[in-house]
Amino acid sequence: MNSSRSDFTQGSILGKLIPFMMPVLGALVLQAAYGAVDLLVVGRFGSTSGLSAVSTGSQVLNLVTFVITQLAMGITVLIARYIGEKKPEQIGALIGGSAVVFAVISAVLFVVMIAFPRPIAILMQAPEKAVGLTSAYIRICGGGIFFIVAYNLLSAIFRGLGDSRSPLIFVAVACGVNIIGDLVLVAGMHMGVTGAALATVVSQGLSAILCLIRMQRIGGYMKIHLSKLRYDGPMMRRVLYQGLPAGIQNSALSIGNIVVQANINAFGEFAMSGMGAHSKIEGFVFIPIISISNALSTFVSQNLGAGEVERAKKGAFLGTVVSMGMAVVMGIGMYLLAPQLIRIFTSEPQSVEYGVVFMRTVTIFYLFLTFSHEATGILRGLGMSVIPMLGMFGFWCVGRILYVTIALRVIPDFRVICWAYPLTWICTTAIFSIVLFRT
């Protein structure tokens, strides 16, 4: 591993942040491509029920992956801190203890997904005709959950070390294997949903194995020894203090969005379709913003560990400015091209109209959404992950639910729902700004 590239305490700040952020960006795009490839191949060579099953099953897998990734963020932050403090001996103990904890988490997920795939499919509102196939997809992915958790844990370790390229390389290889697997098992052998699930598990397993081989070859404190595989209570409490709030935060956001989505659904299928199209576009264009947020967590934590407080502040400022500049460009582009962008996913005029209304309402406030994301990354790097959890739970979950529930009773208009997002972004921006300026 190139130590100069992973050392964020020296050299040009943007020269460190951007090369670190780009592989994170690429990995996020490729991970998003997993589900898309499955859907494309099953949609082309499978049945309608199979397509619905993969769509719903992928949502379950994405949710599990997302929560695991957020929990592993605590490991990323702590490793970066230990590197800055020049305490590599702590990293070995952290990796060993984390492996034990995440193995337990994998075992729990394994039991739940193997034993209760049908209740999960029903809970996810899978179409009645697709419940059986959705259950099969969830059960097969549950059988390979150890690989999925292992890859995300090992990726978090590499990123904490300042190496974001290795996870990108391994997920790129895995994505290629997934595509080949889908074509062979689904298109060639006509295995449908089963083939898509097996291709996903095999490709994720390969990426986990490659990560593990890379770690063992690096050696030193990166090498996993059986003697280090033990539970370390104080160390794991630090990991959970950093990672658990992020997991709770994003779970709460999901709940808030479900309630808001239910109110959108009340306006009919055109509103649902238009909002869905906007969400797909926003989710894609905001990947760079999320990448910078992840990079800032590592950068700030490592510099604080090294006692480079002013460098940490400067890096946080520059990263946020770059991110907000990107948000301005994306917001203007999406505002001006809203009809064309929505039509990528739906040609129904009424759906396009709803999508355009929503997009043109929220994009002019992207500066606030972006600042909230970057402030979250900075606060995690500072070891203050509880603050973004409380802020987003209070405003993005509870606040949105209360606003939509009350405001729609007074003004039953679709635009009222649109404003639920920018209003809560402004609130978290205000809170996070106060905390950061006082820190």
Side-chain angles (χ1 to χ4, degrees):
M1 186 181 300
N2 190 329
S3 59
S4 64
R5 190 174 67 226
S6 61
D7 184 0
F8 293 151
T9 63
Q10 301 177 36
S12 166
I13 291 176
L14 289 180
K16 296 287 185 177
L17 277 175
I18 294 176
F20 180 80
M21 179 271 289
M22 293 305 293
V24 175
L25 169 63
L28 289 173
V29 171
L30 288 175
Q31 284 184 315
Y34 263 91
V37 170
D38 286 348
L39 285 172
L40 285 172
V41 176
V42 172
R44 174 68 178 81
F45 298 99
S47 63
T48 302
S49 296
L51 184 62
S52 297
V54 172
S55 177
T56 307
S58 296
Q59 291 177 41
V60 175
L61 195 58
N62 290 340
L63 177 60
V64 169
T65 301
F66 191 66
V67 172
I68 293 298
T69 302
Q70 296 304 307
L71 288 173
M73 180 60 71
I75 299 168
T76 300
V77 171
L78 284 179
I79 289 177
R81 183 68 56 86
Y82 290 141
I83 288 177
E85 293 174 348
K86 310 299 182 186
K87 296 179 179 178
E89 70 281 356
Q90 296 285 344
I91 296 176
L94 173 60
I95 292 174
S98 299
V100 173
V101 171
F102 277 78
V104 173
I105 293 173
S106 300
V108 173
L109 290 171
F110 175 83
V111 171
V112 171
M113 295 176 74
I114 291 291
F116 307 105
R118 187 174 181 84
I120 294 173
I122 293 172
L123 183 65
M124 293 297 294
Q125 298 182 334
E128 186 176 348
K129 292 182 179 179
V131 168
L133 290 175
T134 304
S135 301
Y137 187 92
I138 294 172
R139 180 177 283 114
I140 293 171
C141 290
I145 197 67
F146 289 94
F147 293 129
I148 295 168
V149 172
Y151 168 74
N152 286 285
L153 169 61
L154 296 171
S155 294
I157 292 170
F158 276 112
R159 287 167 185 153
L161 293 166
D163 178 11
S164 58
R165 293 187 181 184
S166 293
L168 171 62
I169 293 171
F170 300 144
V171 78
V173 172
C175 194
V177 171
N178 186 52
I179 292 173
I180 295 172
D182 279 337
L183 292 174
V184 171
L185 299 177
V186 179
M189 300 176 67
H190 305 290
M191 293 177 66
V193 171
T194 299
L198 286 173
T200 296
V201 170
V202 170
S203 59
Q204 290 275 12
L206 177 62
S207 62
I209 292 170
L210 290 174
C211 276
L212 188 59
I213 292 172
R214 169 68 171 154
M215 283 183 63
Q216 297 300 86
R217 285 184 175 178
I218 291 172
Y221 53 79
M222 284 287 287
K223 192 169 184 177
I224 296 179
H225 298 280
L226 291 177
S227 60
K228 294 180 181 178
L229 295 177
R230 62 179 183 272
Y231 179 77
D232 185 328
M235 183 76 77
M236 288 305 100
R237 280 194 290 273
R238 293 191 67 184
V239 170
L240 292 177
Y241 180 78
Q242 295 294 331
L244 191 58
I248 295 173
Q249 166 190 315
N250 288 287
S251 297
L253 290 181
S254 297
I255 294 172
N257 287 334
I258 288 171
V259 174
V260 173
Q261 185 65 49
N263 282 277
I264 291 173
N265 294 350
F267 284 89
E269 61 181 8
F270 296 123
M272 294 169 58
S273 176
M275 176 62 179
H278 166 81
S279 297
K280 289 183 178 68
I281 296 165
E282 184 177 88
F284 178 77
V285 300
F286 255 77
I287 288 178
I289 306 300
I290 303 301
S291 301
I292 294 177
S293 178
N294 290 340
L296 286 177
S297 294
T298 303
F299 182 92
V300 170
S301 183
Q302 190 178 124
N303 277 279
L304 282 184
E308 298 286 346
V309 177
E310 290 305 314
R311 182 176 172 85
K313 289 182 178 179
K314 188 174 180 181
F317 175 77
L318 287 174
T320 303
V321 169
V322 169
S323 187
M324 293 178 75
M326 294 170 61
V328 169
V329 174
M330 291 187 297
I332 292 173
M334 290 175 67
Y335 186 93
L336 295 176
L337 300 174
Q340 293 87 343
L341 291 172
I342 298 297
R343 287 194 189 99
I344 294 174
F345 296 95
T346 176
S347 58
E348 177 59 49
Q350 288 178 272
S351 296
V352 172
E353 182 180 353
Y354 275 109
V356 169
V357 168
F358 193 92
M359 186 173 288
R360 286 184 169 167
T361 300
V362 302
T363 49
I364 57 178
F365 295 96
Y366 269 178
L367 278 177
F368 298 101
L369 174 58
T370 300
F371 182 85
S372 294
H373 277 301
E374 306 315 333
T376 296
I378 294 166
L379 289 167
R380 287 177 184 167
L382 291 169
M384 304 166 67
S385 58
V386 172
I387 291 175
M389 178 196 75
L390 294 175
M392 291 189 175
F393 176 78
F395 291 107
W396 291 19
C397 178
V398 177
R400 282 178 188 169
I401 291 172
L402 290 175
Y403 166 80
V404 169
T405 302
I406 297 171
L408 282 177
R409 291 179 180 273
V410 180
I411 309 173
D413 189 281
F414 179 75
R415 290 175 177 81
V416 169
I417 297 178
C418 300
W419 278 95
Y421 291 87
L423 288 175
T424 51
W425 298 340
I426 292 170
C427 290
T428 51
T429 295
I431 296 298
F432 294 165
S433 296
I434 294 171
V435 172
L436 289 174
F437 283 124
R438 288 184 175 182
T439 301

